[in-house]
Amino acid sequence: MNPTVSQPPPAAPPADLWRYQPLEGHYDEFVDDSGSPREAWRRLVSSLAALGPEEWQRRWEQGRRLIHENGVTYNVYGDPRGMDRPWQLDAMPLIISPGEWDYIEKAVVQRATLFNQILADLYGPQKLLHEGLLSPGVVFAGPGYLRPMRHIPVPNDTYLHLYAVDLARAPDGHWWVVNDRTQAPSGSGYALENRLVITRCVPDIFRDCRVQRLAEFFAKQRDMLFKLAPGHKENPRVVLLTPGPFNETYFEHAYLARYLGLTLVEGADLTVRDKRVYLKTLSGLLPVDVILRRQDDSFCDPLELRDDSMLGVPGLVQAIRAGTVAVANALGSGVADTPAIMAFLPSLCKALLGEELKMPSVATWWLGDEGPRQNAIDQIDQVVIKSAFPSMGHQVYFGDQLTDKTRAELLAKLRERPHEYIAQERVTLSTSPAWADKGLEPRHAMVRVFVTARADGSYMVMPGGLTRVSASRDSIIVSTQAGGGSKDTWVVSDKPVSNFSLLKPMGSRIELSRAGFFLSSRVADNLYWLGRYTERIDSTIRVVRCMFRHLTDETDFSDPAVLNGLSGVLVAQGRLIGPVDEHGDVFDRAALQEQLQSMLFDEDRPFSVRNDIQKAHRIVARVRDRVSLDSWRILNRLEDEFALPQVGPMMQLNAAMDQLDDGVLMLEAFAGQTMEGMTRENGWRFLDLGRRIERAGALHMLLRFGMEFLSEMEGPKLEAVLEIANSLMTYRSRYMAGVEAGPVLDLLMADESNPRSLAFQAAAMAEHIDQLNVEARSAVRSNEQRAILTILTQLRLAQIATIAAPDATGHRANLTELIDTCDHHLHEMNISLTRRYLSHARRMHHIVDLGAEVS
C-alpha cells in the first residue's frame, strides 16, 4: 500500500505553504503528522512555491473563465440559482502516489469483477439466493431487480460495462469503499473536463509531476462499446441515451457523446420496429446497434418496465431479448446499487472469486436481519441510518443528532419495514488542500474511481477520478447537489507517462468521409427554434436601440410619431402592453424608458429579451453536440450581458445603448459562427430556416408600422426603418437624395442582393425547402414549397411605384395587401414545414408564431 519511488522528488519547501493548517483528528492527504508535505506532493509543492500565490491566482482565474465559457454545469433540482448551476472546481488537485494507486486499482478491478458475477447469478441461476449467501430481501424488496430481464443473455456475459466506486480514507490512512455505482455511473465526463481545465492552467506543472493521462481509459471504453454490437458489425451505430437537458448531469452526457464520437439521443429519438431499435432521422429510420444509457433501468422501456415513463423507448426490452441491440450497462444492473449488499460482499467474494476482499467497505448492516437490526437500535448514537434502496429516498439519520420525537419515529419505521434500511459506521473523511482566499485550506474529500470493461471482458481503471470536496473546512458534506465542489485527481508516476491520445497519430491513414450528423426530428426542431429565438432577440434589440436613440435626441427627429410606430412593433410582438393611449400619443419619455428597460432585463416579464435569451440558451444546451464551442460561448456572454442590470431605478440611456450595441455584436458573431462554422447539412438548413422565417416576420411588422400610412414625419420614420433593418448605409450609398418610400421599399422588399430584404429571405427559404424536398425524394412540390414560391413570386412581380403610392387618406393599401399575402403564405409554409418534419418532436418552445400574430 505504501508507495515505492525510484528517484525521490526535489526537497520540499516548508509545509505551511500559503498558510495551510490541517484539521486535527483527520488524515490529511497533503501533509504528514510532522507537518511536512507527503512524498507524492513534493514536486507540486516545489512548483507552487516557485510560482507564488499571485501567479497561481491569475492562472486560476483563467480556469474559472474556461469553465464558464465552456458551459460546464450541474443541474440541481430546486436550486435558487437555477438549473444550470456552474460546475465547482477547485484549483488544487488531489494527488495519489504510485504505490497507493496500484493497491486501489487491483481492489477496484476485483470489486467490478465481483459485481459482474453477482449480476450474472441474480439474472441467471440465482445460486446465491438458494445457498443463503445473499438475502432475497436485499434483491426483491427494492425496485432495482427487473424480472423481465432474467434469463436474457448479454454479450460476453458482461452485465457491468461501466462501474464507479466512492472511496474515502479512514483516520489511520487506509482506504475503504463508501458507495458502489453499478446502474449508470456518472462523473467520468466531469473528471475529464476537470483535467482539461487544470492542464490548460498549469501545463508545465502537470508535465513535471508526471501525471498519468486519462485518454487511454476512454479509448478502451469506446472500443468496448463498438465491439458490443450484435454480429460484430464493422461500423456499428452507437448512441448515448440521455434523459434530457433537465437531468442533473446532462452536460456530461453531451460532452461524452462528442468526445467518444457517439450520437446523443433521447428516448423520443428512438423507436422499435420488428424487434429492432432505430434512430428516427429526417432521412428515415437508421438501425441502432449499441446503446450507452445514462438513465435509470426502469425508465428505459414503458412497455415492460415502468409504464409511466416518458423517457424510455417502448419495446426496448423486446429488442434486447431478440439480440438485435446491446445496452451498457445491462438493464437490471441497478439492483446492485443498494448499499445493503455491502454487508454480504465479504462472503460473496469468497464464494465467487475464492479470495478475500482487497479493500473493505465501510461497516454496513442490513436491518432486514433481526440481529443487526437490534444491534443498530441499541447503538443508534454511533451509527448512521439510511435507506437500503436510494431510489426510494435519500434521507440520512445521524443517530447522535436525533431528537426524541425523530428517534421515536425512526424506530417505528425500523420495526415496521426494517428491510428498507441499513445502518453504517460513521465515515470520517480525510482532508485535502483547497484554494481559498489566496491561500490553502483543508477540505473533506472523497474520490470516485471509474472502471470500464475492455472488449475482452476484463476491466480497466481510469488512472485518476473525480474527487469531491466539501464547501468549507467546517462542512463534512461532499455531495455536489449539496453545494460541494470537485478536484482533478492526479495519479503520479515514478516513470515517464504515456502520451496516448484518442486522436490518430500524424501520418496514419484515415479514410476520407463527408458524412454528416444523422439529424433527428428533435434536433432539427431545436435548431429551427434556436434560429428563431436568436433572430427574434436581434430584431427586438435593434428596435429598442433605435427608440433609445430617439429618446436621447432633443431635435424634431424624435417626433412622437416615430416612437409611436416603433412601440406598435413591440406591442405586436407581445413585448409591450399598450404603450399607445387613445389619442395616438406615446407615453411620456420616462414611462416609456421604464417600460423598455423592464422589457429588456426583467426575466419574470413574459416575452422580455432576457427571458428569450435564457430560452435560447436552454435550447442550445439541448443540441450541445451539434454547435461549436465558440457558438456556445457567444450565447453564454450574451446571457451574462443581459443579466447585469437589475430592474428598479432607471439606468442611464447611454449605458443601456452600450449594452444593446454589445448584444447586437454578439448576435452577429453567433450568426457568423453558424454561417461560417457549420457544414451545409440539414441541421444548418433548419437553423437558417428559423432565422429567415423570423426575420421575414419582423420585416413585415416593421414595414406595416413604419410605412403603411403616410406620415408628416415620413423622413425620420423611413430612416428608422432602414436603421433597424441594417440597410441605412446601403441606401445612402445608392441614393444621394433624401429618403423616399419607393427606394426604401425596393431595398427592403424586392432586392434579392440585400440580406435584410424580404426577397432575400424568401429566396433562401425556397432553396432550403427545395433541398429538403430533394432529399425526401419527392417529385411533387410540397405545400411548403408552393407557399414560399408564392411569396417569392409576389415579391418579384411587385410594382414598387404602385405599392409606395398612398391613396387619398394616406393609406398605402397595396403595401398592406402585399404584406397580408406574404404573412398568410409564410404562416402556411411554417405549419406545413412543422407538420412534415417536426411534428413528432416534443415542443417546449413558447415563442409566438409571427405569422399567426399579424395574419
Short mmCIF file of all heavy atoms in Angstrom, two decimals, residues 28-70:
data_model
loop_
_atom_site.label_atom_id
_atom_site.label_comp_id
_atom_site.label_asym_id
_atom_site.label_seq_id
_atom_site.Cartn_x
_atom_site.Cartn_y
_atom_site.Cartn_z
N ASP A 28 -4.69 13.76 6.76
CA ASP A 28 -4.51 14.83 5.77
C ASP A 28 -3.73 14.29 4.57
O ASP A 28 -2.65 13.72 4.74
CB ASP A 28 -3.76 16.01 6.39
CG ASP A 28 -3.84 17.25 5.51
OD1 ASP A 28 -4.80 18.02 5.65
OD2 ASP A 28 -2.95 17.42 4.64
N GLU A 29 -4.31 14.47 3.37
CA GLU A 29 -3.68 13.97 2.16
C GLU A 29 -2.40 14.72 1.83
O GLU A 29 -1.50 14.17 1.17
CB GLU A 29 -4.66 14.09 0.98
CG GLU A 29 -5.99 13.38 1.16
CD GLU A 29 -5.86 11.88 1.06
OE1 GLU A 29 -4.81 11.41 0.56
OE2 GLU A 29 -6.78 11.16 1.50
N PHE A 30 -2.29 15.95 2.29
CA PHE A 30 -1.22 16.85 1.87
C PHE A 30 0.04 16.74 2.74
O PHE A 30 1.15 16.61 2.24
CB PHE A 30 -1.77 18.27 1.87
CG PHE A 30 -0.82 19.33 1.41
CD1 PHE A 30 0.06 19.12 0.38
CD2 PHE A 30 -0.82 20.58 2.02
CE1 PHE A 30 0.93 20.11 -0.05
CE2 PHE A 30 0.02 21.59 1.60
CZ PHE A 30 0.91 21.36 0.56
N VAL A 31 -0.17 16.80 4.06
CA VAL A 31 0.97 16.80 4.96
C VAL A 31 0.87 15.63 5.93
O VAL A 31 -0.21 15.13 6.23
CB VAL A 31 1.05 18.13 5.75
CG1 VAL A 31 1.26 19.30 4.80
CG2 VAL A 31 -0.20 18.35 6.59
N ASP A 32 2.04 15.21 6.43
CA ASP A 32 2.07 14.12 7.39
C ASP A 32 1.96 14.68 8.81
O ASP A 32 1.74 15.88 9.02
CB ASP A 32 3.34 13.27 7.22
CG ASP A 32 4.62 14.10 7.36
OD1 ASP A 32 4.58 15.17 8.01
OD2 ASP A 32 5.66 13.67 6.82
N ASP A 33 2.12 13.82 9.80
CA ASP A 33 1.95 14.24 11.20
C ASP A 33 2.97 15.28 11.63
O ASP A 33 2.73 16.06 12.56
CB ASP A 33 2.05 13.02 12.13
CG ASP A 33 0.89 12.06 11.94
OD1 ASP A 33 -0.15 12.51 11.41
OD2 ASP A 33 1.02 10.87 12.30
N SER A 34 4.10 15.33 10.96
CA SER A 34 5.13 16.32 11.31
C SER A 34 4.89 17.66 10.62
O SER A 34 5.61 18.62 10.89
CB SER A 34 6.52 15.78 10.92
OG SER A 34 6.64 15.72 9.51
N GLY A 35 3.91 17.71 9.74
CA GLY A 35 3.62 18.96 9.03
C GLY A 35 4.36 19.10 7.72
O GLY A 35 4.27 20.14 7.06
N SER A 36 5.11 18.08 7.31
CA SER A 36 5.84 18.13 6.03
C SER A 36 4.98 17.55 4.91
O SER A 36 4.20 16.61 5.13
CB SER A 36 7.13 17.32 6.14
OG SER A 36 7.97 17.85 7.15
N PRO A 37 5.13 18.08 3.70
CA PRO A 37 4.36 17.53 2.57
C PRO A 37 4.68 16.07 2.35
O PRO A 37 5.84 15.64 2.45
CB PRO A 37 4.82 18.38 1.38
CG PRO A 37 5.35 19.64 1.99
CD PRO A 37 5.94 19.25 3.30
N ARG A 38 3.68 15.29 2.06
CA ARG A 38 3.90 13.88 1.76
C ARG A 38 4.69 13.75 0.46
O ARG A 38 4.66 14.63 -0.39
CB ARG A 38 2.57 13.14 1.68
CG ARG A 38 1.80 13.19 2.99
CD ARG A 38 0.55 12.32 2.97
NE ARG A 38 -0.24 12.52 4.18
CZ ARG A 38 -0.02 11.88 5.33
NH1 ARG A 38 0.97 11.00 5.41
NH2 ARG A 38 -0.77 12.13 6.38
N GLU A 39 5.35 12.62 0.31
CA GLU A 39 6.31 12.45 -0.77
C GLU A 39 5.67 12.68 -2.14
O GLU A 39 6.27 13.29 -3.03
CB GLU A 39 6.91 11.04 -0.69
CG GLU A 39 8.20 10.90 -1.46
CD GLU A 39 8.91 9.61 -1.10
OE1 GLU A 39 8.24 8.55 -1.03
OE2 GLU A 39 10.14 9.66 -0.90
N ALA A 40 4.44 12.18 -2.36
CA ALA A 40 3.80 12.29 -3.67
C ALA A 40 3.49 13.74 -4.04
O ALA A 40 3.33 14.05 -5.22
CB ALA A 40 2.51 11.47 -3.69
N TRP A 41 3.45 14.62 -3.03
CA TRP A 41 3.06 16.01 -3.27
C TRP A 41 4.27 16.93 -3.49
O TRP A 41 4.10 18.10 -3.82
CB TRP A 41 2.27 16.55 -2.07
CG TRP A 41 0.90 15.97 -1.94
CD1 TRP A 41 0.57 14.74 -1.47
CD2 TRP A 41 -0.34 16.62 -2.26
NE1 TRP A 41 -0.80 14.57 -1.47
CE2 TRP A 41 -1.38 15.71 -1.95
CE3 TRP A 41 -0.67 17.88 -2.76
CZ2 TRP A 41 -2.73 16.03 -2.14
CZ3 TRP A 41 -2.00 18.20 -2.95
CH2 TRP A 41 -3.03 17.28 -2.65
N ARG A 42 5.48 16.44 -3.29
CA ARG A 42 6.61 17.36 -3.20
C ARG A 42 6.93 18.07 -4.51
O ARG A 42 7.32 19.23 -4.51
CB ARG A 42 7.83 16.60 -2.67
CG ARG A 42 7.66 16.21 -1.21
CD ARG A 42 8.85 15.44 -0.67
NE ARG A 42 8.60 15.00 0.71
CZ ARG A 42 9.41 14.21 1.39
NH1 ARG A 42 10.53 13.75 0.82
NH2 ARG A 42 9.11 13.85 2.62
N ARG A 43 6.78 17.38 -5.63
CA ARG A 43 7.02 18.07 -6.91
C ARG A 43 6.02 19.22 -7.09
O ARG A 43 6.40 20.31 -7.53
CB ARG A 43 6.88 17.09 -8.06
CG ARG A 43 7.99 16.05 -8.13
CD ARG A 43 7.83 15.18 -9.37
NE ARG A 43 8.78 14.09 -9.37
CZ ARG A 43 10.02 14.16 -9.82
NH1 ARG A 43 10.46 15.31 -10.32
NH2 ARG A 43 10.82 13.11 -9.79
N LEU A 44 4.77 18.97 -6.75
CA LEU A 44 3.77 20.03 -6.88
C LEU A 44 4.08 21.18 -5.94
O LEU A 44 3.99 22.36 -6.32
CB LEU A 44 2.37 19.47 -6.59
CG LEU A 44 1.23 20.50 -6.57
CD1 LEU A 44 1.08 21.17 -7.93
CD2 LEU A 44 -0.08 19.86 -6.14
N VAL A 45 4.44 20.87 -4.69
CA VAL A 45 4.72 21.92 -3.70
C VAL A 45 5.89 22.78 -4.16
O VAL A 45 5.86 24.01 -4.04
CB VAL A 45 5.00 21.28 -2.33
CG1 VAL A 45 5.53 22.33 -1.36
CG2 VAL A 45 3.73 20.65 -1.78
N SER A 46 6.92 22.16 -4.71
CA SER A 46 8.07 22.92 -5.20
C SER A 46 7.66 23.86 -6.33
O SER A 46 8.08 25.02 -6.39
CB SER A 46 9.17 21.97 -5.68
OG SER A 46 9.66 21.19 -4.61
N SER A 47 6.82 23.36 -7.22
CA SER A 47 6.35 24.19 -8.33
C SER A 47 5.49 25.34 -7.84
O SER A 47 5.60 26.48 -8.33
CB SER A 47 5.57 23.33 -9.32
OG SER A 47 6.37 22.32 -9.88
N LEU A 48 4.63 25.07 -6.86
CA LEU A 48 3.77 26.12 -6.32
C LEU A 48 4.59 27.19 -5.61
O LEU A 48 4.29 28.39 -5.72
CB LEU A 48 2.74 25.52 -5.36
CG LEU A 48 1.68 24.59 -5.97
CD1 LEU A 48 0.75 24.07 -4.89
CD2 LEU A 48 0.90 25.29 -7.06
N ALA A 49 5.59 26.76 -4.88
CA ALA A 49 6.43 27.73 -4.17
C ALA A 49 7.15 28.64 -5.17
O ALA A 49 7.29 29.85 -4.93
CB ALA A 49 7.44 27.00 -3.29
N ALA A 50 7.59 28.08 -6.29
CA ALA A 50 8.26 28.89 -7.31
C ALA A 50 7.27 29.81 -8.03
O ALA A 50 7.62 30.92 -8.43
CB ALA A 50 8.96 27.97 -8.31
N LEU A 51 6.06 29.36 -8.16
CA LEU A 51 5.04 30.13 -8.88
C LEU A 51 4.54 31.30 -8.06
O LEU A 51 4.39 32.42 -8.56
CB LEU A 51 3.87 29.20 -9.25
CG LEU A 51 2.98 29.61 -10.40
CD1 LEU A 51 3.78 29.65 -11.69
CD2 LEU A 51 1.83 28.60 -10.53
N GLY A 52 4.26 31.06 -6.77
CA GLY A 52 3.74 32.11 -5.90
C GLY A 52 2.23 32.21 -5.94
O GLY A 52 1.61 31.90 -6.96
N PRO A 53 1.61 32.66 -4.85
CA PRO A 53 0.14 32.70 -4.80
C PRO A 53 -0.47 33.67 -5.80
O PRO A 53 -1.58 33.42 -6.29
CB PRO A 53 -0.15 33.13 -3.35
CG PRO A 53 1.12 33.78 -2.88
CD PRO A 53 2.23 33.10 -3.60
N GLU A 54 0.19 34.78 -6.11
CA GLU A 54 -0.39 35.75 -7.04
C GLU A 54 -0.48 35.17 -8.44
O GLU A 54 -1.52 35.28 -9.12
CB GLU A 54 0.44 37.04 -7.07
CG GLU A 54 0.35 37.87 -5.81
CD GLU A 54 1.20 37.30 -4.68
OE1 GLU A 54 2.06 36.43 -4.97
OE2 GLU A 54 1.00 37.71 -3.52
N GLU A 55 0.57 34.50 -8.89
CA GLU A 55 0.55 33.90 -10.23
C GLU A 55 -0.42 32.73 -10.28
O GLU A 55 -1.11 32.52 -11.28
CB GLU A 55 1.96 33.45 -10.62
CG GLU A 55 2.04 32.71 -11.95
CD GLU A 55 1.61 33.54 -13.15
OE1 GLU A 55 1.49 34.78 -13.01
OE2 GLU A 55 1.38 32.95 -14.22
N TRP A 56 -0.48 31.97 -9.19
CA TRP A 56 -1.44 30.86 -9.13
C TRP A 56 -2.87 31.40 -9.23
O TRP A 56 -3.70 30.83 -9.94
CB TRP A 56 -1.24 30.08 -7.85
CG TRP A 56 -2.18 28.90 -7.69
CD1 TRP A 56 -3.31 28.84 -6.95
CD2 TRP A 56 -2.05 27.62 -8.32
NE1 TRP A 56 -3.90 27.61 -7.06
CE2 TRP A 56 -3.15 26.84 -7.89
CE3 TRP A 56 -1.11 27.06 -9.18
CZ2 TRP A 56 -3.33 25.53 -8.32
CZ3 TRP A 56 -1.30 25.75 -9.61
CH2 TRP A 56 -2.39 25.00 -9.18
N GLN A 57 -3.14 32.49 -8.52
CA GLN A 57 -4.46 33.10 -8.58
C GLN A 57 -4.77 33.57 -10.00
O GLN A 57 -5.89 33.39 -10.50
CB GLN A 57 -4.54 34.29 -7.61
CG GLN A 57 -5.83 35.10 -7.67
CD GLN A 57 -7.01 34.34 -7.10
OE1 GLN A 57 -6.84 33.43 -6.29
NE2 GLN A 57 -8.21 34.70 -7.52
N ARG A 58 -3.80 34.16 -10.67
CA ARG A 58 -4.02 34.65 -12.03
C ARG A 58 -4.36 33.49 -12.97
O ARG A 58 -5.28 33.59 -13.78
CB ARG A 58 -2.78 35.38 -12.53
CG ARG A 58 -2.97 36.08 -13.88
CD ARG A 58 -1.65 36.52 -14.47
NE ARG A 58 -0.82 35.39 -14.86
CZ ARG A 58 -1.01 34.68 -15.99
NH1 ARG A 58 -1.99 35.00 -16.81
NH2 ARG A 58 -0.21 33.69 -16.28
N ARG A 59 -3.62 32.41 -12.83
CA ARG A 59 -3.87 31.27 -13.70
C ARG A 59 -5.23 30.65 -13.40
O ARG A 59 -5.91 30.17 -14.30
CB ARG A 59 -2.76 30.23 -13.54
CG ARG A 59 -1.41 30.70 -14.04
CD ARG A 59 -0.48 29.53 -14.20
NE ARG A 59 0.87 29.93 -14.58
CZ ARG A 59 1.80 29.09 -14.99
NH1 ARG A 59 1.54 27.79 -15.06
NH2 ARG A 59 3.01 29.52 -15.31
N TRP A 60 -5.60 30.64 -12.12
CA TRP A 60 -6.87 30.02 -11.77
C TRP A 60 -8.05 30.86 -12.24
O TRP A 60 -9.11 30.32 -12.56
CB TRP A 60 -6.96 29.77 -10.27
CG TRP A 60 -8.24 29.06 -9.91
CD1 TRP A 60 -9.15 29.42 -8.98
CD2 TRP A 60 -8.74 27.87 -10.52
NE1 TRP A 60 -10.19 28.54 -8.96
CE2 TRP A 60 -9.97 27.56 -9.91
CE3 TRP A 60 -8.28 27.04 -11.55
CZ2 TRP A 60 -10.74 26.47 -10.26
CZ3 TRP A 60 -9.05 25.95 -11.91
CH2 TRP A 60 -10.26 25.66 -11.27
N GLU A 61 -7.90 32.16 -12.32
CA GLU A 61 -8.96 33.00 -12.91
C GLU A 61 -9.19 32.59 -14.36
O GLU A 61 -10.33 32.59 -14.84
CB GLU A 61 -8.57 34.47 -12.81
CG GLU A 61 -8.63 35.05 -11.42
CD GLU A 61 -10.02 34.94 -10.80
OE1 GLU A 61 -11.02 35.06 -11.55
OE2 GLU A 61 -10.11 34.72 -9.57
N GLN A 62 -8.12 32.24 -15.05
CA GLN A 62 -8.26 31.75 -16.42
C GLN A 62 -9.06 30.45 -16.43
O GLN A 62 -9.92 30.23 -17.30
CB GLN A 62 -6.88 31.52 -17.03
CG GLN A 62 -6.91 30.87 -18.42
CD GLN A 62 -5.53 30.44 -18.88
OE1 GLN A 62 -4.52 30.72 -18.24
NE2 GLN A 62 -5.48 29.73 -19.99
N GLY A 63 -8.80 29.58 -15.45
CA GLY A 63 -9.55 28.32 -15.37
C GLY A 63 -11.02 28.55 -15.11
O GLY A 63 -11.88 27.88 -15.71
N ARG A 64 -11.34 29.49 -14.24
CA ARG A 64 -12.75 29.78 -13.96
C ARG A 64 -13.46 30.31 -15.20
O ARG A 64 -14.61 29.97 -15.47
CB ARG A 64 -12.84 30.80 -12.83
CG ARG A 64 -12.53 30.22 -11.45
CD ARG A 64 -12.52 31.30 -10.39
NE ARG A 64 -12.38 30.75 -9.07
CZ ARG A 64 -12.14 31.47 -7.98
NH1 ARG A 64 -12.00 32.78 -8.10
NH2 ARG A 64 -12.01 30.89 -6.80
N ARG A 65 -12.76 31.17 -15.94
CA ARG A 65 -13.36 31.69 -17.17
C ARG A 65 -13.61 30.55 -18.16
O ARG A 65 -14.63 30.52 -18.85
CB ARG A 65 -12.45 32.75 -17.79
CG ARG A 65 -12.47 34.08 -17.09
CD ARG A 65 -11.84 35.17 -17.95
NE ARG A 65 -10.47 34.85 -18.32
CZ ARG A 65 -9.41 35.19 -17.60
NH1 ARG A 65 -9.56 35.83 -16.44
NH2 ARG A 65 -8.19 34.88 -18.01
N LEU A 66 -12.68 29.62 -18.20
CA LEU A 66 -12.82 28.49 -19.12
C LEU A 66 -14.03 27.64 -18.76
O LEU A 66 -14.79 27.21 -19.64
CB LEU A 66 -11.55 27.66 -19.10
CG LEU A 66 -11.34 26.66 -20.24
CD1 LEU A 66 -11.26 27.39 -21.57
CD2 LEU A 66 -10.08 25.84 -19.99
N ILE A 67 -14.23 27.39 -17.48
CA ILE A 67 -15.39 26.62 -17.03
C ILE A 67 -16.68 27.32 -17.42
O ILE A 67 -17.63 26.70 -17.92
CB ILE A 67 -15.34 26.40 -15.51
CG1 ILE A 67 -14.18 25.46 -15.15
CG2 ILE A 67 -16.65 25.85 -14.98
CD1 ILE A 67 -13.94 25.34 -13.67
N HIS A 68 -16.71 28.63 -17.21
CA HIS A 68 -17.92 29.39 -17.53
C HIS A 68 -18.16 29.41 -19.04
O HIS A 68 -19.29 29.17 -19.51
CB HIS A 68 -17.81 30.80 -16.99
CG HIS A 68 -18.97 31.67 -17.34
ND1 HIS A 68 -20.22 31.51 -16.78
CD2 HIS A 68 -19.08 32.71 -18.21
CE1 HIS A 68 -21.05 32.40 -17.29
NE2 HIS A 68 -20.39 33.14 -18.16
N GLU A 69 -17.11 29.70 -19.81
CA GLU A 69 -17.28 29.80 -21.26
C GLU A 69 -17.64 28.46 -21.88
O GLU A 69 -18.37 28.40 -22.87
CB GLU A 69 -16.01 30.36 -21.89
CG GLU A 69 -15.76 31.83 -21.56
CD GLU A 69 -14.46 32.34 -22.15
OE1 GLU A 69 -13.69 31.52 -22.69
OE2 GLU A 69 -14.23 33.57 -22.08
N ASN A 70 -17.12 27.37 -21.32
CA ASN A 70 -17.44 26.05 -21.83
C ASN A 70 -18.82 25.58 -21.38
O ASN A 70 -19.29 24.53 -21.83
CB ASN A 70 -16.39 25.03 -21.39
CG ASN A 70 -15.07 25.23 -22.09
OD1 ASN A 70 -14.95 26.09 -22.97
ND2 ASN A 70 -14.07 24.45 -21.73
#
